[in-house]
Amino acid sequence: MVASVEAMSATLPELTESELASIDAWWRANNYLTVGQIYLMANPLLREPLAPEHIKPRLLGHWGTSPGLAFVYAHVSRLIRHTGQDCLYITGPGHGGPALVGASYLEGTYTDAFPKITQDTDGLLRFFRQFSAPGGIPSHVSVTTPGSIHEGGELGYALIHAFGSVFDNPDLLTVAVVGDGEAETGPLEGSWKGISFVNPAHDGAVLPVLHLNGGKIAAPTVLSRKPREEVRQLFEGHGYEVIEVEGHDQPGIHYRFAEALGRAYASIREIQRKARAGEAEPGRPRWPMIVLRTPKGWTGPHIVDGQLMEGTWRAHQVPLSGVKTDADHLAQLEEWLRSYRPEELFDDNGHPVELVRSANPDKPKSMSGTPYANGGLLAVPLDLPDFRELAVPVEQRATEKLESTRKLGEFMREAYRRNPDNFRLFCPDETNSNRLGAVFEASDRTWMEEVNDTDAQLGPDGRVMEVLSEHNCHGWLEAYNLTGRHGLFATYEAFAMVSASQTIQHGKWLQEAAHLPWRAAIPSLNILVSSTAWRNDHNGFSHQGPGLIQVVLNGGSEHSRIYLPPDANCLLSVADHCFRSVNYVNLIVQDKQPQPQWLTMDEAVEHCTRGASIWEWAGTPEDAAEPDIVLACAGDIMTMETVAAAELIKKHLPDIRLRVVNVVDLMCLKRPKDHPHGMSELYFNELFTDNRDVIFAFHGYPGAIHQLVHGRPDADRFRVRGFIEQGTTTTPFDMVVRNRASRYHLVMDALNNMKVTRRGSGDLMRFCERQLARHESYIVEHLEDMPDVRDWKLGEASERQ
Ligand SMILES: Cc1ncc(C[n+]2csc(CCOP(=O)(O)OP(=O)(O)O)c2C)c(N)n1
């Protein structure tokens, strides 16, 4: 697909006068398009004097950052033309959407994606009218922008996405513009460390351009007001070679930036040459970055209503307001638009003239046309082993306990071996803790910094990504996916909330992308949350929080999936499905502690395929009559409590008709019209009946189940137990007791809600109450759970009690 970067020129020659003329024309055209998108709904080429009726009624968009983004873009395009380098362009300040949409328009890729937006006067008018308008396009560098893998709406992830895009993409250079406001965010501040994980031998390169335009929405930025020396030292301290460019003088700034870009590029290529020729010194190279100081709102109105606009935060959005009614502002807008000399930039038909077009690289090399930004085009399905070969033999149910996630580690070990440049695990320092350490048999942790004797499984050729930043891990995987590759983000359940906002944003991206036929399907974003609330008894309350389920559920996207495998075989089946899927956010929830194994592999595959099923062996034999009560569960610990509760009921009240239902695919509880996985009403009633009470033990917050079964027959009959924010440092069983979701609570709930009362019910109720009281005193005295709970095995506990 791409020529290897080694074959290309590493040198960017001096900017010639004719190139300057072309870049300047392209930049003026782009700035004109930005202003046009914000303001114009008629008279797109100013062929007549500007009048109020040409102005949009609602003036929306962000001018301030746009000219700077377009300036850098134009120069990177020149780099591509000279070197043939494959480049991705990521703009942290994604609110500069008009500049990037404009770039795609000038490059012709916009018309390819949206054929009605032609490169002529009519198309230009449609282009202007659609911006930030109902039925049109968003104001940000969003999914609809050809060349984008980064919306930039939620600031902070520009560099994270840039690094994620270049792992295992040796021929790619991602240029990432970081806003100085964005640079104040936590995720961005943490993302400079990306270079400690980039191996120039087999990864591509990131060129950060820190754009110090001085302002954010309403105030100056920290880095633009720091002494220059401090800024330089800050980034040198992060390990970068800092190249500074400053000014707004024309054409001087063009020459200086071209020279800086050439220097940065030569430096990148030399780093890569040495690494690929085996001549590099051990350790992390000093990668270049550019600190660019140009004014916010550059080339726009300098002074508005007597106040300085250009170079200040005031230029952030729409510099001239009320243009329809304010004659002075209208005149100023016309002067501003005409300052770009549109008559030189677009011909009589409104087509960009040759001078403008000569600044474009060839389409597939252009940053709006590169397949790297439409990663599904490059995606190769994962080569996976048959997960059945890793099956846990379950001859007798729930007799041996096993750390289920270890099996996933073994599965991923094979994925690493078979896909040496197409699969990575991203984890905030918890690969071993989450029992996924088998991957280290196939690959070390990635590490470009110093390695010493105390380190294990760490090195430059490693491809397991461990950095203690959920933001980095999540965003690196997103960009890895968006450029067509596969992986998994594994994290502690409670701290998945650190990056929950990224999960939501990515879900939105997928939802939007599904409506764009030209966006090829990308590998799904797979998230494993382990070290879950119920088994973080040793870490305490801070580590107990199943919030991400709720987040993914609330997102409501039909691209979201939530799986709660109850054991290792189900986990393998679910993981195989997720790794092969495209365009989803797959959330898998499973703890890492030893847990009972319930299903053989064949049973697991069937169960996971259905999404939910009756576990006949756990209830009483099914007959023609409806059960007296249904015990349902979702989640590993809740499954154990439910099966244990069922055992107690069966032993004490043998006449009860009892059904146990396990749910592994949470979304299947929804109605088919609410989610593609939603089960039919027929199957729902087959599982839960349409009138019997259901005691549902759920891994997450109880409200989730009510949300899911909303609209099902007599939804009020679902009594849900789950995590109710009762946590502390205690014993594992005490966690379920505190949250009133223990087997004893489930039995009592069942007794309280059964349609029939059998002899012995009162005794069983009292037994449960006694057990709970015994538990209270036992754990305080012995500092561990009661043996009958601690050592519970299917078929044994009830006999002992
Ligand atoms: C996480 C986040 N917080 C707040 C905002 C609101 N916001 C939009 S633009 C902006 C200022 C951005 O400044 P900067 O990154 O310097 O961009 P530029 O000056 O180039 O527009 C803010 C605070 C946001 N988009 N994302």
Side-chain angles (χ1 to χ4, degrees), residues 62-66 69 92-96 140 152-157 177-185 187 211-219 221 296 313 315-317:
H62 298 79
W63 160 247
T65 193
S66 298
L69 296 178
H95 45 278
H140 285 63
E154 184 166 294
L155 299 168
Y157 312 125
V177 180
V178 176
D180 43 357
E182 179 185 27
E184 293 173 16
T185 65
H211 188 203
L212 302 184
N213 65 13
K216 20 189 211 267
I217 296 181
T221 60
K296 190 154 183 163
W313 49 267
H316 184 68
Q317 288 191 352

Short mmCIF file of all heavy atoms in Angstrom, two decimals, residues 62-66 69 92-96 140 152-157 177-185 187 211-219 221 296 313 315-317, ligand 1:
data_model
loop_
_atom_site.label_atom_id
_atom_site.label_comp_id
_atom_site.label_asym_id
_atom_site.label_seq_id
_atom_site.Cartn_x
_atom_site.Cartn_y
_atom_site.Cartn_z
N HIS A 62 -15.56 28.50 15.22
CA HIS A 62 -14.38 29.01 15.93
C HIS A 62 -13.36 29.49 14.92
O HIS A 62 -12.77 28.69 14.19
CB HIS A 62 -13.77 27.90 16.79
CG HIS A 62 -14.70 27.39 17.85
ND1 HIS A 62 -15.70 26.50 17.60
CD2 HIS A 62 -14.75 27.66 19.18
CE1 HIS A 62 -16.35 26.24 18.72
NE2 HIS A 62 -15.79 26.93 19.70
N TRP A 63 -13.18 30.78 14.91
CA TRP A 63 -12.21 31.36 13.98
C TRP A 63 -10.78 31.25 14.54
O TRP A 63 -9.84 30.87 13.85
CB TRP A 63 -12.57 32.82 13.72
CG TRP A 63 -11.42 33.63 13.20
CD1 TRP A 63 -10.77 34.65 13.82
CD2 TRP A 63 -10.76 33.45 11.94
NE1 TRP A 63 -9.74 35.14 13.04
CE2 TRP A 63 -9.71 34.41 11.87
CE3 TRP A 63 -10.93 32.58 10.86
CZ2 TRP A 63 -8.85 34.51 10.78
CZ3 TRP A 63 -10.07 32.68 9.77
CH2 TRP A 63 -9.05 33.64 9.73
N GLY A 64 -10.62 31.57 15.81
CA GLY A 64 -9.30 31.85 16.39
C GLY A 64 -8.21 30.86 16.07
O GLY A 64 -7.10 31.23 15.68
N THR A 65 -8.50 29.58 16.20
CA THR A 65 -7.46 28.58 16.01
C THR A 65 -7.25 28.23 14.54
O THR A 65 -6.22 27.69 14.15
CB THR A 65 -7.82 27.29 16.81
OG1 THR A 65 -6.70 26.45 16.86
CG2 THR A 65 -9.00 26.55 16.21
N SER A 66 -8.27 28.51 13.72
CA SER A 66 -8.31 27.97 12.36
C SER A 66 -7.14 28.40 11.47
O SER A 66 -6.53 27.56 10.79
CB SER A 66 -9.66 28.29 11.70
OG SER A 66 -10.68 27.67 12.44
N LEU A 69 -4.05 26.40 12.29
CA LEU A 69 -4.15 25.00 11.86
C LEU A 69 -3.93 24.88 10.36
O LEU A 69 -3.24 23.96 9.88
CB LEU A 69 -5.54 24.43 12.22
CG LEU A 69 -5.89 24.33 13.70
CD1 LEU A 69 -7.31 23.79 13.87
CD2 LEU A 69 -4.90 23.45 14.45
N GLY A 92 -5.56 18.98 17.95
CA GLY A 92 -6.10 19.02 19.31
C GLY A 92 -7.27 19.97 19.40
O GLY A 92 -8.36 19.58 19.83
N PRO A 93 -7.08 21.23 18.98
CA PRO A 93 -8.23 22.15 18.98
C PRO A 93 -9.16 21.78 17.83
O PRO A 93 -9.17 22.42 16.78
CB PRO A 93 -7.59 23.53 18.77
CG PRO A 93 -6.12 23.34 18.95
CD PRO A 93 -5.83 21.92 18.58
N GLY A 94 -9.95 20.75 18.04
CA GLY A 94 -10.84 20.24 16.99
C GLY A 94 -11.92 21.22 16.64
O GLY A 94 -12.58 21.08 15.61
N HIS A 95 -12.07 22.26 17.51
CA HIS A 95 -13.07 23.29 17.18
C HIS A 95 -12.64 24.08 15.95
O HIS A 95 -13.42 24.85 15.42
CB HIS A 95 -13.33 24.20 18.38
CG HIS A 95 -12.08 24.64 19.08
ND1 HIS A 95 -11.43 23.84 20.01
CD2 HIS A 95 -11.34 25.76 18.99
CE1 HIS A 95 -10.35 24.49 20.45
NE2 HIS A 95 -10.27 25.64 19.84
N GLY A 96 -11.40 23.89 15.53
CA GLY A 96 -10.96 24.51 14.27
C GLY A 96 -11.45 23.71 13.08
O GLY A 96 -10.77 23.65 12.03
N HIS A 140 -16.85 20.77 14.48
CA HIS A 140 -15.55 20.24 14.87
C HIS A 140 -14.97 19.30 13.80
O HIS A 140 -15.65 18.93 12.86
CB HIS A 140 -15.65 19.51 16.21
CG HIS A 140 -15.77 20.45 17.37
ND1 HIS A 140 -16.84 21.30 17.52
CD2 HIS A 140 -14.95 20.69 18.43
CE1 HIS A 140 -16.67 22.03 18.61
NE2 HIS A 140 -15.53 21.68 19.18
N GLY A 152 -11.57 16.09 18.56
CA GLY A 152 -11.01 17.28 19.20
C GLY A 152 -12.05 18.12 19.92
O GLY A 152 -11.77 19.25 20.31
N GLY A 153 -13.25 17.57 20.10
CA GLY A 153 -14.26 18.33 20.84
C GLY A 153 -13.92 18.37 22.31
O GLY A 153 -13.88 19.43 22.94
N GLU A 154 -13.68 17.18 22.86
CA GLU A 154 -13.23 17.11 24.25
C GLU A 154 -11.71 17.21 24.22
O GLU A 154 -11.03 16.30 23.73
CB GLU A 154 -13.68 15.79 24.87
CG GLU A 154 -13.35 15.67 26.33
CD GLU A 154 -14.11 14.50 26.95
OE1 GLU A 154 -15.35 14.54 27.03
OE2 GLU A 154 -13.45 13.53 27.35
N LEU A 155 -11.20 18.31 24.70
CA LEU A 155 -9.77 18.58 24.57
C LEU A 155 -8.94 17.64 25.44
O LEU A 155 -9.36 17.24 26.51
CB LEU A 155 -9.48 20.02 24.97
CG LEU A 155 -10.18 21.09 24.11
CD1 LEU A 155 -10.06 22.46 24.77
CD2 LEU A 155 -9.58 21.11 22.72
N GLY A 156 -7.76 17.32 24.99
CA GLY A 156 -6.83 16.58 25.85
C GLY A 156 -6.21 15.35 25.23
O GLY A 156 -5.27 14.78 25.77
N TYR A 157 -6.76 14.92 24.08
CA TYR A 157 -6.34 13.60 23.60
C TYR A 157 -5.53 13.65 22.30
O TYR A 157 -5.28 12.61 21.69
CB TYR A 157 -7.57 12.71 23.39
CG TYR A 157 -8.51 12.72 24.57
CD1 TYR A 157 -9.85 13.04 24.42
CD2 TYR A 157 -8.04 12.45 25.86
CE1 TYR A 157 -10.71 13.07 25.51
CE2 TYR A 157 -8.90 12.49 26.95
CZ TYR A 157 -10.23 12.80 26.77
OH TYR A 157 -11.06 12.84 27.85
N VAL A 177 -1.16 18.85 16.26
CA VAL A 177 -1.17 20.22 16.77
C VAL A 177 -1.85 20.19 18.16
O VAL A 177 -2.96 19.70 18.30
CB VAL A 177 -1.95 21.17 15.84
CG1 VAL A 177 -1.94 22.59 16.41
CG2 VAL A 177 -1.34 21.15 14.44
N VAL A 178 -1.12 20.68 19.14
CA VAL A 178 -1.64 20.72 20.51
C VAL A 178 -1.98 22.16 20.83
O VAL A 178 -1.12 23.05 20.70
CB VAL A 178 -0.57 20.20 21.50
CG1 VAL A 178 -1.06 20.32 22.93
CG2 VAL A 178 -0.18 18.77 21.17
N GLY A 179 -3.21 22.41 21.24
CA GLY A 179 -3.59 23.77 21.63
C GLY A 179 -2.96 24.11 22.97
O GLY A 179 -2.78 23.24 23.82
N ASP A 180 -2.66 25.41 23.18
CA ASP A 180 -2.04 25.75 24.46
C ASP A 180 -3.06 25.68 25.60
O ASP A 180 -2.70 25.42 26.74
CB ASP A 180 -1.29 27.09 24.43
CG ASP A 180 -2.02 28.21 23.72
OD1 ASP A 180 -3.11 27.98 23.17
OD2 ASP A 180 -1.48 29.33 23.70
N GLY A 181 -4.35 25.87 25.26
CA GLY A 181 -5.37 25.63 26.27
C GLY A 181 -5.45 24.13 26.54
O GLY A 181 -5.44 23.68 27.69
N GLU A 182 -5.50 23.36 25.48
CA GLU A 182 -5.55 21.90 25.61
C GLU A 182 -4.38 21.39 26.45
O GLU A 182 -4.52 20.43 27.23
CB GLU A 182 -5.52 21.26 24.23
CG GLU A 182 -5.56 19.75 24.29
CD GLU A 182 -5.40 19.06 22.94
OE1 GLU A 182 -4.78 19.64 22.04
OE2 GLU A 182 -5.89 17.93 22.82
N ALA A 183 -3.24 22.05 26.28
CA ALA A 183 -2.04 21.60 26.99
C ALA A 183 -2.19 21.74 28.51
O ALA A 183 -1.37 21.21 29.27
CB ALA A 183 -0.82 22.39 26.51
N GLU A 184 -3.22 22.46 28.96
CA GLU A 184 -3.45 22.57 30.41
C GLU A 184 -4.24 21.38 30.96
O GLU A 184 -4.37 21.23 32.17
CB GLU A 184 -4.21 23.88 30.71
CG GLU A 184 -3.37 25.11 30.42
CD GLU A 184 -4.15 26.43 30.56
OE1 GLU A 184 -5.24 26.43 31.16
OE2 GLU A 184 -3.65 27.46 30.07
N THR A 185 -4.77 20.51 30.08
CA THR A 185 -5.58 19.39 30.58
C THR A 185 -4.68 18.28 31.14
O THR A 185 -3.53 18.12 30.72
CB THR A 185 -6.46 18.78 29.46
OG1 THR A 185 -5.60 18.21 28.47
CG2 THR A 185 -7.37 19.81 28.83
N PRO A 187 -5.01 14.86 30.77
CA PRO A 187 -4.60 13.85 29.79
C PRO A 187 -3.49 14.34 28.87
O PRO A 187 -2.55 13.60 28.58
CB PRO A 187 -5.89 13.58 29.00
CG PRO A 187 -6.98 13.94 29.93
CD PRO A 187 -6.46 15.07 30.79
N HIS A 211 0.95 24.68 19.74
CA HIS A 211 0.56 25.94 19.13
C HIS A 211 0.22 26.96 20.22
O HIS A 211 -0.88 26.95 20.77
CB HIS A 211 -0.65 25.72 18.22
CG HIS A 211 -1.00 26.92 17.40
ND1 HIS A 211 -2.25 27.14 16.88
CD2 HIS A 211 -0.26 27.99 17.03
CE1 HIS A 211 -2.25 28.28 16.21
NE2 HIS A 211 -1.05 28.82 16.30
N LEU A 212 1.16 27.81 20.51
CA LEU A 212 0.95 28.83 21.54
C LEU A 212 0.37 30.08 20.87
O LEU A 212 1.09 31.02 20.56
CB LEU A 212 2.28 29.15 22.25
CG LEU A 212 2.99 27.98 22.93
CD1 LEU A 212 4.23 28.45 23.67
CD2 LEU A 212 2.06 27.28 23.91
N ASN A 213 -0.95 30.02 20.66
CA ASN A 213 -1.57 31.22 20.07
C ASN A 213 -2.05 32.17 21.15
O ASN A 213 -2.68 33.18 20.88
CB ASN A 213 -2.67 30.85 19.06
CG ASN A 213 -3.86 30.16 19.71
OD1 ASN A 213 -4.00 30.14 20.93
ND2 ASN A 213 -4.72 29.57 18.89
N GLY A 214 -1.78 31.82 22.37
CA GLY A 214 -1.92 32.79 23.47
C GLY A 214 -3.20 32.73 24.27
O GLY A 214 -3.20 33.10 25.44
N GLY A 215 -4.31 32.28 23.65
CA GLY A 215 -5.57 32.39 24.38
C GLY A 215 -6.38 31.12 24.34
O GLY A 215 -6.22 30.29 23.45
N LYS A 216 -7.23 30.98 25.34
CA LYS A 216 -8.24 29.94 25.26
C LYS A 216 -9.59 30.63 25.04
O LYS A 216 -9.62 31.53 24.20
CB LYS A 216 -8.19 29.00 26.47
CG LYS A 216 -7.51 29.50 27.73
CD LYS A 216 -7.35 28.40 28.74
CE LYS A 216 -7.41 28.94 30.15
NZ LYS A 216 -6.07 29.24 30.68
N ILE A 217 -10.67 30.24 25.73
CA ILE A 217 -11.95 30.89 25.41
C ILE A 217 -11.98 32.33 25.94
O ILE A 217 -12.40 33.25 25.27
CB ILE A 217 -13.15 30.12 26.02
CG1 ILE A 217 -13.27 28.73 25.42
CG2 ILE A 217 -14.44 30.90 25.82
CD1 ILE A 217 -14.43 27.91 25.96
N ALA A 218 -11.51 32.50 27.14
CA ALA A 218 -11.73 33.80 27.78
C ALA A 218 -10.54 34.27 28.61
O ALA A 218 -10.69 35.17 29.44
CB ALA A 218 -12.96 33.70 28.69
N ALA A 219 -9.40 33.68 28.39
CA ALA A 219 -8.24 34.06 29.19
C ALA A 219 -6.97 33.59 28.49
O ALA A 219 -7.03 32.76 27.57
CB ALA A 219 -8.34 33.41 30.58
N THR A 221 -3.33 31.58 28.11
CA THR A 221 -2.95 30.22 28.49
C THR A 221 -1.65 30.25 29.30
O THR A 221 -0.82 31.15 29.13
CB THR A 221 -2.74 29.34 27.24
OG1 THR A 221 -1.71 29.93 26.45
CG2 THR A 221 -4.00 29.22 26.44
N LYS A 296 -3.57 34.26 17.88
CA LYS A 296 -4.92 33.69 17.76
C LYS A 296 -5.74 34.63 16.85
O LYS A 296 -5.67 35.85 16.99
CB LYS A 296 -5.56 33.59 19.16
CG LYS A 296 -6.84 32.80 19.18
CD LYS A 296 -7.10 32.18 20.54
CE LYS A 296 -8.37 31.34 20.51
NZ LYS A 296 -8.47 30.42 21.62
N TRP A 313 -7.61 36.21 23.31
CA TRP A 313 -8.65 35.19 23.49
C TRP A 313 -9.98 35.62 22.85
O TRP A 313 -10.82 34.80 22.53
CB TRP A 313 -8.86 34.89 24.98
CG TRP A 313 -9.01 36.13 25.83
CD1 TRP A 313 -8.02 36.77 26.49
CD2 TRP A 313 -10.21 36.86 26.09
NE1 TRP A 313 -8.51 37.87 27.15
CE2 TRP A 313 -9.87 37.95 26.93
CE3 TRP A 313 -11.55 36.72 25.72
CZ2 TRP A 313 -10.80 38.87 27.39
CZ3 TRP A 313 -12.49 37.63 26.17
CH2 TRP A 313 -12.11 38.70 27.00
N ALA A 315 -10.58 36.43 20.01
CA ALA A 315 -10.72 35.92 18.64
C ALA A 315 -11.18 34.46 18.62
O ALA A 315 -11.29 33.86 17.55
CB ALA A 315 -9.39 36.05 17.91
N HIS A 316 -11.46 33.88 19.80
CA HIS A 316 -11.71 32.43 19.87
C HIS A 316 -12.83 31.96 18.94
O HIS A 316 -12.64 31.00 18.20
CB HIS A 316 -12.02 32.03 21.31
CG HIS A 316 -12.20 30.56 21.50
ND1 HIS A 316 -11.15 29.68 21.37
CD2 HIS A 316 -13.29 29.81 21.77
CE1 HIS A 316 -11.59 28.44 21.58
NE2 HIS A 316 -12.89 28.50 21.80
N GLN A 317 -13.99 32.61 19.01
CA GLN A 317 -15.11 32.09 18.21
C GLN A 317 -15.41 32.97 16.99
O GLN A 317 -14.81 32.83 15.95
CB GLN A 317 -16.34 31.92 19.09
CG GLN A 317 -16.19 30.75 20.05
CD GLN A 317 -17.48 30.39 20.76
OE1 GLN A 317 -18.48 31.07 20.68
NE2 GLN A 317 -17.44 29.29 21.50
C1 LIG B 1 -12.01 18.93 28.10
C2 LIG B 1 -12.57 20.22 27.59
N1 LIG B 1 -12.78 21.23 28.47
C3 LIG B 1 -13.29 22.42 28.03
C4 LIG B 1 -13.61 22.60 26.73
C5 LIG B 1 -14.22 23.92 26.25
N2 LIG B 1 -13.27 24.61 25.33
C6 LIG B 1 -13.42 24.59 24.00
S1 LIG B 1 -12.21 25.41 23.20
C7 LIG B 1 -11.43 25.82 24.65
C8 LIG B 1 -10.16 26.60 24.63
C9 LIG B 1 -9.11 25.88 23.87
O1 LIG B 1 -7.92 26.58 23.83
P1 LIG B 1 -6.72 26.02 22.97
O2 LIG B 1 -6.53 24.58 23.23
O3 LIG B 1 -5.57 26.89 23.22
O4 LIG B 1 -7.23 26.13 21.50
P2 LIG B 1 -7.17 27.38 20.56
O5 LIG B 1 -6.69 28.56 21.32
O6 LIG B 1 -6.23 27.02 19.49
O7 LIG B 1 -8.58 27.58 20.09
C10 LIG B 1 -12.16 25.32 25.73
C11 LIG B 1 -11.80 25.53 27.13
C12 LIG B 1 -13.40 21.51 25.86
N3 LIG B 1 -13.71 21.58 24.57
N4 LIG B 1 -12.87 20.36 26.31
#
